[in-house]
Amino acid sequence: MAAKVFESIGKFGLTLALAGGVVNSALYNVDAGHRAVIFDRFRGVQDIVVGEGTHFLIPWVQKPIIFDCRSRPRNVPVITGSKDLQNVNITLRILFRPVASQLPRIYTSIGEDYDERVLPSITTEILKSVVARFDAGELITQRELVSRQVSDDLTERAATFGLILDDVSLTHLTFGKEFTEAVEAKQVAQQEAERARFVVEKAEQQKKAAIISAEGDSKAAELIANSLATAGDGLIELRKLEAAEDIAYQLSRSRNITYLPAGQSVLLQLPQ
């Protein structure tokens, strides 16, 4: 009797395990930010895109292909030439994601590794096309315009493959060794030219200052001559008195002089 009970329990457990295995194989999960495309062995890829959650399928007959529909970054380095035939090294950073409704077409025509097959080729194509419109100097001074044109053209090109580009930016832009050395030499020449221009301007200012000073001295001499012609020796006597007063004041403040000689005038006994 006990053997029959254990045999029944064993059969029930086996049946339950088989049923659980079948149910488990008929369920699949689609995580947040993902979508699923169903491949049917008899009907091929289905046009229906399955959203997030747990779903049923027919075991062995159907298989889910899960796609990540969140934005993902990718850096694409490209070496190309500018309008003036300078070598340009550019790295483009792209944030991309697939159009969820076009996942069946993407899987059928491109495959699960669509980003590896599409992005490098179209990015290289667009970058070479846009960079060839600008010379090396314009790539530096008009970088925002270059980035915008690359973004517009690349977004339009990627849309034909069912891809959305959330952001396109130029993260790295360098030139060949010859161009870099030429730019450095030009900067040095510009600095030397600025220094020479400063020296010339300084000399001009000094020349103008000397001319103004000479004109002032000439004017002062002319005024003194006119004063002497008008007032005679009175102006000289006035300047003597002013000089004597200043000298007496300075001597009175000196520690080495305690008195002034009486009965004598300073600078007043100068020969006439």
Side-chain angles (χ1 to χ4, degrees):
M1 182 67 181
K4 290 183 179 181
V5 172
F6 284 116
E7 184 180 357
S8 300
I9 294 174
K11 290 181 180 180
F12 178 75
L14 180 59
T15 303
L16 187 61
L18 290 175
V22 171
V23 172
N24 184 63
S25 63
L27 294 175
Y28 67 96
N29 292 323
V30 179
D31 296 331
H34 293 68
R35 296 293 185 273
V37 174
I38 302 300
F39 172 74
D40 192 291
R41 293 181 182 272
F42 301 105
R43 295 181 297 173
V45 178
Q46 304 298 301
D47 293 333
I48 300 175
V49 178
V50 182
E52 303 167 359
T54 301
H55 306 276
F56 289 95
L57 54 75
I58 302 175
W60 186 82
V61 176
Q62 295 178 333
K63 181 181 70 171
I65 296 93
I66 308 298
F67 285 88
D68 188 353
C69 292
R70 297 170 297 184
S71 293
R72 290 180 291 162
R74 184 182 181 90
N75 292 328
V76 182
V78 177
I79 299 177
T80 182
S82 63
K83 186 177 180 180
D84 54 351
L85 304 180
Q86 297 294 335
N87 290 328
V88 184
N89 300 317
I90 298 180
T91 299
L92 199 66
R93 185 177 185 273
I94 304 171
L95 279 178
F96 70 95
R97 57 187 171 90
V99 180
S101 61
Q102 298 189 30
L103 286 177
R105 182 176 70 87
I106 293 175
Y107 179 68
T108 303
S109 60
I110 304 175
E112 293 183 72
D113 57 343
Y114 60 90
D115 55 326
E116 294 288 345
R117 298 188 179 188
V118 173
L119 290 179
S121 59
I122 65 173
T123 300
T124 302
E125 174 191 354
I126 296 300
L127 273 177
K128 288 186 176 182
S129 173
V130 174
V131 172
R133 306 172 196 169
F134 300 87
D135 58 34
E138 291 173 341
L139 289 175
I140 299 175
T141 59
Q142 302 181 27
R143 181 166 179 166
E144 183 179 354
L145 175 61
V146 175
S147 179
R148 184 167 60 252
Q149 289 192 4
V150 170
S151 178
D152 294 341
D153 295 351
L154 191 58
T155 300
E156 182 180 356
R157 188 80 171 89
T160 62
F161 294 94
L163 301 180
I164 298 175
L165 304 184
D166 293 322
D167 182 67
V168 177
S169 58
L170 296 175
T171 59
H172 183 70
L173 177 63
T174 58
F175 300 92
K177 181 180 179 181
E178 295 79 5
F179 180 77
T180 303
E181 292 176 351
V183 171
E184 292 177 352
K186 182 178 179 181
Q187 291 177 344
V188 171
Q190 288 178 344
Q191 292 175 356
E192 292 178 351
E194 288 293 328
R195 188 179 299 110
R197 185 172 64 85
F198 172 76
V199 171
V200 172
E201 290 180 352
K202 182 178 179 181
E204 289 291 337
Q205 294 298 327
Q206 291 176 345
K207 179 180 178 181
K208 291 180 180 179
I211 292 174
I212 293 173
S213 177
E215 291 176 350
D217 293 342
S218 174
K219 186 67 175 177
E222 181 182 353
L223 292 175
I224 292 174
N226 293 335
S227 299
L228 289 174
T230 302
D233 295 338
L235 179 62
I236 297 177
E237 294 296 330
L238 177 62
R239 292 290 182 263
K240 288 181 179 180
L241 289 173
E242 291 175 349
E245 181 181 359
D246 183 62
I247 292 173
Y249 176 75
Q250 296 296 332
L251 291 175
S252 65
R253 293 174 56 85
S254 175
R255 296 181 179 180
N256 297 325
I257 300 298
T258 57
Y259 66 93
L260 294 175
Q264 297 183 12
S265 61
V266 181
L267 294 181
L268 294 180
Q269 302 300 325
L270 293 177
Q272 300 295 324

